[in-house]
């Protein structure tokens, strides 16, 4: 079969940060580092490693600086850290981070509940981060949460997302991620959203972050691929991702995404078997269930 046009897809692995941050049991730095090393050995091109946030808010990320300095960085891999504010960016600068992520919401209610400020206040905070980051040659990417629905406000209109995206662009954020935080989106809503966002952010500068809460993550990613998006966030073994519904699944599993992409003829640079083993390592450490069906099928066949 013919390979798809622009057949390179970049996966940002978010398990070490977004996946682990909601785990109650403490994961020591050396376990997190080993996890990151397994992911980079599997060929993962981008890894979100930690968050430079107050340990009061996210206890699991209290070792951020120690963790960062202990990663044996592999040439050609991008290492990302989330920063919630300028204080966080100062810590990231000290740790020699090269690219940071800021995380805002397109829902006013979610913004107030989750990051304790209005949307406009969050944009103001991000503009300070961008200004300081530029002085230190640090790249900043933005992620917008709740782009297809909010746990408090319900469905979100595409034009509301566009309004916030315009503000992100205006403060100098040139790479934007769109997240379906509660996983309610379906392909037509995704395509409508991408059509409207494309007037502000060219499709090659967009990434997408889908949750599988309602089982729609892969079909939504497929819709994004058809629209020309080539960057996706995912979490090995489906770790984490705050789905805001008791017992529901959060992040889409990287194994599922890679399996689908390879089947479609896209190139990811990832070795699926090694990726599965990386997820299996973390799940064994945590003693909880692997949420990737690809991993479960592979591991069952192997045993």
């Amino acid at each position: 079969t013919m390979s798809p046009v622009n057949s390179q897809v970049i996966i940002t692995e978010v398990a070490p940060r977004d996946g682990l941050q909601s785990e109650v049991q403490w994961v020591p730095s050396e376990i997190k580092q080993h996890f990151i090393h397994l992911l980079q050995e599997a060929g993962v091109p981008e890894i979100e490693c930690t968050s430079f946030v107050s340990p009061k808010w996210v206890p699991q990320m209290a070792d951020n600086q120690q963790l960062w300095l202990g990663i044996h960085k592999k040439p050609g891999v991008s290492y990302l850290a989330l920063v919630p504010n300028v204080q966080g960016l100062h810590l990231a600068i000290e740790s020699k981070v090269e690219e940071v992520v800021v995380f805002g919401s397109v829902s006013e209610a979610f913004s107030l509940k989750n990051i304790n400020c209005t949307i406009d206040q969050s944009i103001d905070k991000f503009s300070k981060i961008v200004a300081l980051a530029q002085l230190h040659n640090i790249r900043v990417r933005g992620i917008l949460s709740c782009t297809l629905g909010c746990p408090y406000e319900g469905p979100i209109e595409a034009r509301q997302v566009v309004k916030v995206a315009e503000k992100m662009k205006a403060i100098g954020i040139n790479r934007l991620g769109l997240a379906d935080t509660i996983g309610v989106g379906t392909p037509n809503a995704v395509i409508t959203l991408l059509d409207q966002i494309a007037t502000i952010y060219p499709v090659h500068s967009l990434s997408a972050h889908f949750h599988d809460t309602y089982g729609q993550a892969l079909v939504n990613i497929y819709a994004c691929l058809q629209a020309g998006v080539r960057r996706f966030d995912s979490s090995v073994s489906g770790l984490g991702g705050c789905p805001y519904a008791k017992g529901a699944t959060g992040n889409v599993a990287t194994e599922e995404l890679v399996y689908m992409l390879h089947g479609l003829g896209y190139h990811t640079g990832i070795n699926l078997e090694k990726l599965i083993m990386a997820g299996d390592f973390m799940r064994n450490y945590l003693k909880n269930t692997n949420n990737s069906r690809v991993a479960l099928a592979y591991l069952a066949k192997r045993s």
Side-chain angles (χ1 to χ4, degrees):
T1 57
M2 291 275 292
S3 226
V5 190
N6 297 345
S7 62
Q8 185 70 29
V9 171
I10 307 288
I11 289 176
T12 306
E13 177 54 63
V14 300
R17 198 280 304 173
D18 191 17
L20 290 180
Q21 71 170 11
S22 46
E23 285 293 326
V24 181
Q25 59 166 307
W26 172 250
V27 180
S29 296
E30 54 273 22
I31 297 288
K32 291 175 187 153
Q33 282 155 359
H34 184 60
F35 184 36
I36 290 165
H37 295 150
L38 289 173
L39 291 166
Q40 65 191 25
E41 283 314 303
V44 172
E46 294 192 343
I47 305 172
E48 194 179 85
C49 299
T50 191
S51 174
F52 287 92
V53 62
S54 159
K56 189 176 73 182
W57 296 114
V58 188
Q60 190 64 258
M61 302 287 125
D63 63 341
N64 41 37
Q65 285 191 290
Q66 183 192 343
L67 170 81
W68 197 272
L69 298 170
I71 299 166
H72 304 301
K73 307 214 171 39
K74 190 178 169 186
V77 175
S78 293
Y79 301 88
L80 308 173
L82 190 80
V83 295
N85 48 35
V86 169
Q87 294 95 290
L89 182 59
H90 280 297
L91 292 174
I93 291 165
E94 277 173 35
S95 305
K96 309 243 187 303
V97 174
E98 288 175 13
E99 188 163 4
V100 296
V101 180
V102 296
F103 202 95
S105 180
V106 298
S107 148
E108 207 64 77
F110 191 87
S111 188
L112 287 166
K113 277 198 161 66
N114 224 40
I115 51 177
N116 304 319
C117 59
T118 66
I119 292 172
D120 282 344
Q121 285 168 334
S122 75
I123 299 286
D124 191 49
K125 221 174 357 184
F126 302 154
S127 71
K128 293 183 174 73
I129 291 172
V130 171
L132 180 59
Q134 281 170 347
L135 290 177
H136 292 269
N137 290 319
I138 294 172
R139 295 185 298 281
V140 183
R141 64 175 75 169
I143 294 192
L144 294 178
S145 64
C146 300
T147 57
L148 292 156
C150 167
Y152 314 112
E153 290 181 15
I156 296 282
E157 296 282 327
R159 64 170 181 268
Q160 169 64 12
V161 185
V162 170
K163 264 190 353 205
V164 184
E166 280 170 339
K167 293 175 180 182
M168 296 289 262
K169 189 75 185 227
I171 61 167
I173 289 173
N174 298 319
R175 296 261 301 273
L176 190 68
L178 303 170
D180 183 5
T181 309
I182 53 172
V184 291
T186 49
N188 281 354
V190 171
I191 288 162
T192 301
L193 177 60
L194 290 174
D195 275 350
Q196 298 200 22
I197 291 287
T199 57
I200 308 152
Y201 282 93
V203 74
H204 64 82
S205 64
L206 289 173
S207 66
H209 180 119
F210 288 105
H211 284 196
D212 209 26
T213 320
Y214 289 80
Q216 304 299 300
L218 286 182
V219 286
N220 287 337
I221 289 169
Y222 188 76
C224 288
L225 288 166
Q226 301 302 102
V229 177
R230 293 291 178 269
R231 293 176 170 274
F232 301 95
D233 291 359
S234 60
S235 180
V236 74
S237 83
L239 263 169
C242 302
Y244 295 93
K246 208 167 168 51
T249 45
N251 285 317
V252 66
T254 310
E255 298 93 327
E256 259 82 317
L257 177 54
V258 169
Y259 182 85
M260 180 181 82
L261 289 169
H262 289 179
L264 290 168
Y266 290 96
H267 299 285
T268 63
I270 293 173
N271 176 316
L272 182 55
E273 193 174 334
K274 287 183 175 177
L275 182 73
I276 289 167
M277 298 325 290
D280 189 50
F281 162 78
M282 199 67 233
R283 289 296 186 175
N284 286 334
Y285 178 81
L286 295 168
K287 296 183 173 53
N288 60 24
T289 316
N290 197 314
N291 261 339
S292 161
R293 280 167 291 186
V294 168
L296 291 172
Y298 173 87
L299 294 164
K301 204 163 68 174
R302 215 182 59 141
S303 66

